[in-house]
Amino acid sequence: MRFYLALLAAAAALAAGRIADPPSYRQLLRKLASSPDMQQYMRDDPRSAGQLDVALDNDMDKTTLELIRENGYVAEQHDVTTADGYILSLHRIPYGRDGPGEGPRTPVHLQHGLLSASSDWIMQPPERALAYMLADRGYDVWLGNARGNTYSRSHVNITADDPEFWKFTWDQMGQYDSPAMIDYILETTGQQQIFWVGHSMGTTMFWVMMNDHPEYNDKVALMQGLGPVARVDHMHSVIRIFAPYANEVELLFKWFGENEFLPAGSHWMRIVQKYFCDRDHVEEELCRNALFAIAGYDSKQFNLTALPIILAHTPAGASTRSVIHYAQEINAEKFLHFDWGKEENIARYGQATPPEYDLSFVTCPVSLFWSDNDLLADPEDVAWLAEGLPNIIEKYRVPLAAFNHLDYLWAIDGDILVYNHVIENIQKFENAQKH
């Protein structure tokens, strides 16, 4: 509640012209990392292992590949061009710290969610980050980057400054990005199948892919969805607040950015910077509420030590239409394509309204991970999703009531609560395929 009241106050201040140009995002992050509150937290954090002298300031300027290498792993970048011309960067950890070993390694693809990137999977220490855990257990780990994020802002014909570049939602990510990444991974590794682990929008993309390209079911040994999102009738995120305006696209463009969602210097980024981060000392409650308003909040599981680095990489970019797409679904109470307006809908879909997706096309094995405190993947919506999937093998409730949508990435006990089970599922399927 305090977050929403502050947001209203900030909006009023913005309208009155009382917000001057804020300091840069990087300046705010450095202030956060060096603040007395953060330094004291790191001294008291039992899981920081006394690493108070870690160069947080330097890490904030490092890319995903640089952070992986800093932790002692081999890291590769592979560029993939989609059928509609977007150039995506895949990040790869081909093996763990023990070296390549002998024989081929099973490829596992990790796909980030909304406003995120490949960095999501490596923000924890190696023994607690899913990407590193998989690599150290003998897997060939691939980290996807969907169009429009930090690492996938190129196109064969246009630049990211062109409004046409941003004319996409997760419809196109599922239609083009997902199959392009799978094909590249299989071609590069010589394998017949991959294991897909998606978080949030990284699951939405998967359902879309299978609806448009059902032949890809044969290329996936097992799909595991962390905080899976399809239909969002019961979403409690702040996205619901602007859902009534979801079809007033021009108004939402004015609020959130015409092309990229909340780019630097936008009105709402100024609000967040002014009212939640521009402090001499870190006001932990406000900063965390701003971060978790969209996805839920679990104070006991959030690794505050990693907050400066996490914020340096997140948000990683997304099209405004991708966010509006979820808002449209709230209004429609359906899992459906983006509504471009009557004329463009007819041109794209052959009908005046956007068609629904058909989950019956997802025939590969699926395991869904859900939690009680997930504002984006509400338990009722996950239950609806599970009922529509024809080959669901498991609906796993995370055994912690406070576990939220972002805890799948950054929870202190994410390895115990989620990742160990993810790996166990992969190992079970591998063993079954060998017999």
Side-chain angles (χ1 to χ4, degrees):
M1 177 61 69
R2 199 161 37 153
F3 167 75
Y4 297 109
L5 292 175
L7 195 60
L8 290 173
L14 177 66
R18 295 200 301 270
I19 297 181
D21 288 339
S24 73
Y25 193 54
R26 191 70 59 179
Q27 286 175 321
L28 293 170
L29 292 177
R30 290 196 167 97
K31 178 183 288 187
L32 175 63
S34 61
S35 69
D37 289 354
M38 179 61 76
Q39 296 293 309
Q40 185 60 49
Y41 178 89
M42 293 176 70
R43 291 188 187 94
D44 297 340
D45 181 6
R47 299 194 73 168
S48 65
Q51 298 179 21
L52 183 60
D53 296 327
V54 173
L56 284 175
D57 193 61
N58 291 333
D59 283 351
M60 286 190 293
D61 292 320
K62 290 179 179 176
T63 65
T64 296
L65 295 178
E66 289 171 334
L67 290 171
I68 293 171
R69 291 166 184 155
E70 184 180 71
N71 277 297
Y73 295 82
V74 171
E76 302 172 358
Q77 176 169 318
H78 298 256
D79 292 333
V80 182
T81 302
T82 66
D84 62 342
Y86 284 81
I87 301 172
L88 316 176
S89 289
L90 274 169
H91 294 155
R92 181 190 191 189
I93 308 175
Y95 46 82
R97 288 179 289 188
D98 290 339
E102 297 181 0
R105 290 173 174 252
T106 301
V108 180
H109 177 83
L110 306 183
Q111 185 57 50
H112 65 77
L114 184 68
L115 292 167
S116 297
S118 56
S119 55
D120 281 2
W121 308 101
I122 60 157
M123 286 298 165
Q124 298 280 38
E127 64 275 9
R128 302 208 310 269
L130 182 56
Y132 296 136
M133 292 173 67
L134 286 164
D136 284 333
R137 285 161 177 78
Y139 294 99
D140 184 357
V141 183
W142 295 77
L143 312 177
N145 284 294
R147 62 183 63 194
N149 85 355
T150 305
Y151 301 104
S152 297
R153 289 176 178 254
S154 297
H155 189 279
V156 295
N157 294 321
I158 55 179
T159 69
D161 294 327
D162 190 328
E164 284 298 311
F165 179 93
W166 297 98
K167 201 172 182 181
F168 64 82
T169 80
W170 38 261
D171 274 343
Q172 288 67 47
M173 297 177 198
Q175 183 180 2
Y176 298 111
D177 295 7
S178 299
M181 289 187 285
I182 288 178
D183 285 342
Y184 184 90
I185 293 170
L186 294 180
E187 181 180 355
T188 302
T189 62
Q191 299 293 304
Q192 299 299 310
Q193 290 184 314
I194 69 162
F195 286 88
W196 181 291
V197 180
H199 173 245
S200 189
M201 189 186 72
T203 68
T204 315
M205 294 167 56
F206 189 87
W207 321 134
V208 173
M209 171 177 62
M210 293 310 182
N211 188 97
D212 293 347
H213 308 284
E215 67 275 14
Y216 277 79
N217 282 286
D218 293 334
K219 301 182 180 184
V220 178
L222 171 66
M223 188 282 188
Q224 299 190 77
L226 314 183
V229 179
R231 188 167 166 170
V232 291
D233 301 16
H234 302 90
M235 176 187 287
H236 297 288
S237 165
V238 293
I239 292 176
R240 180 172 288 277
I241 293 176
F242 62 84
Y245 308 98
N247 291 321
E248 298 182 37
V249 176
E250 294 303 321
L251 175 61
L252 294 181
F253 281 171
K254 181 178 180 181
W255 286 356
F256 300 117
E258 183 174 355
N259 301 311
E260 181 179 3
F261 184 71
L262 292 181
S266 71
H267 289 343
W268 289 100
M269 282 302 292
R270 289 188 180 192
I271 289 172
V272 171
Q273 290 168 344
K274 174 69 178 180
Y275 282 83
F276 302 115
C277 298
D278 189 11
R279 310 289 184 183
D280 291 332
H281 301 287
V282 180
E283 294 187 13
E284 294 177 3
E285 193 66 30
L286 285 178
C287 283
R288 284 198 298 255
N289 278 344
L291 178 62
F292 290 113
I294 290 179
Y297 175 55
D298 172 15
S299 61
K300 293 182 179 178
Q301 280 297 311
F302 182 59
N303 181 6
L304 187 58
T305 304
L307 181 59
I309 301 175
I310 289 172
L311 292 180
H313 291 264
T314 308
S319 71
T320 299
R321 288 180 178 87
S322 293
V323 182
I324 294 175
H325 197 164
Y326 284 123
Q328 289 181 352
E329 285 200 307
I330 293 174
N331 294 337
E333 297 186 349
K334 297 176 181 178
F335 180 36
L336 75 180
H337 291 71
F338 187 76
D339 188 349
W340 297 90
K342 182 178 179 180
E343 291 185 7
E344 192 163 350
N345 285 343
I346 292 174
R348 286 174 177 265
Y349 312 129
Q351 59 186 63
T353 57
E356 291 185 60
Y357 282 108
D358 187 349
L359 291 172
S360 68
F361 285 107
V362 186
T363 58
C364 69
V366 175
S367 175
L368 300 179
F369 289 65
W370 65 281
S371 59
D372 297 312
N373 188 37
D374 195 325
L375 300 188
L376 283 175
D378 185 88
E380 289 191 57
D381 292 331
V382 176
W384 174 88
L385 173 61
E387 291 175 3
L389 293 169
N391 194 11
I392 185 165
I393 64 165
E394 178 187 42
K395 189 172 167 233
Y396 178 81
R397 175 185 175 273
V398 179
L400 180 67
F403 199 88
N404 75 45
H405 199 67
L406 294 180
D407 282 339
Y408 287 106
L409 304 173
W410 305 320
I412 292 173
D413 295 315
D415 52 336
I416 299 170
L417 295 169
V418 175
Y419 299 160
N420 289 339
H421 192 65
V422 168
I423 296 171
E424 287 172 3
N425 285 343
I426 294 174
Q427 291 171 336
K428 288 179 182 177
F429 268 76
E430 276 194 305
N431 292 333
Q433 289 173 338
K434 293 176 182 177
H435 294 89

